[in-house]
Amino acid sequence: QVQLVESGGGLVQPGGSLRLSCAASGFTFSSYAMNWYRQAPGKERELVAAITNRGGSTTYADSVKGRFTISRDNAKNMVYLQMSSLEPEDTAVYYCNAKILLRAYWGQGTQVTVSS
């Protein structure tokens, strides 16, 4: 079964950094693009970052460009989101996502809170 498990969330001060991790299993990880989404209270889930199957190309939401970096390690079936210069507006539950054979798979999410 496809499984995605996020970790690394927590409380951080504005301007701080945090690295999220997503451990994937149950599918041929290196064959699929991976994504990070986030959802803040009262808002719709939004795509934050995406990375192609081999890691050759990445895309980011305008709101996080220059601050966040998505990466992957196919030997370990891991995808990461390095977050820097965090702002209160980054507060949300962050989800790892994979689209495999016409359906989407999601992790349970990890809470990121940026606050003084």
Side-chain angles (χ1 to χ4, degrees):
Q1 297 181 0
V2 172
Q3 188 170 9
L4 303 172
V5 181
E6 302 96 336
S7 62
L11 176 65
V12 64
Q13 293 185 328
S17 298
L18 208 59
R19 188 179 76 159
L20 306 184
S21 299
C22 174
S25 61
F27 64 102
T28 305
F29 182 72
S30 61
S31 293
Y32 297 95
M34 297 295 295
N35 314 285
W36 284 99
Y37 285 76
R38 68 185 181 188
Q39 188 166 27
K43 296 185 177 181
E44 294 192 38
R45 191 170 298 186
E46 65 173 343
L47 178 65
V48 175
I51 188 166
T52 53
N53 63 317
R54 298 294 301 274
S57 297
T58 58
T59 57
Y60 299 92
D62 288 343
S63 59
V64 307
K65 285 180 180 176
R67 301 188 298 116
F68 289 13
T69 301
I70 188 171
S71 62
R72 67 191 297 161
D73 185 342
N74 285 350
K76 297 181 178 181
N77 284 10
M78 297 287 292
V79 60
Y80 308 96
L81 186 67
Q82 178 67 51
M83 305 183 295
S84 300
S85 301
L86 284 162
E87 305 166 353
E89 293 77 13
D90 296 317
T91 295
V93 178
Y94 284 72
Y95 297 91
C96 183
N97 162 268
K99 296 181 178 68
I100 306 168
L101 301 179
L102 304 180
R103 70 156 289 178
Y105 294 86
W106 301 90
Q108 292 295 307
T110 186
Q111 175 71 49
V112 172
T113 302
V114 185
S115 175
S116 300

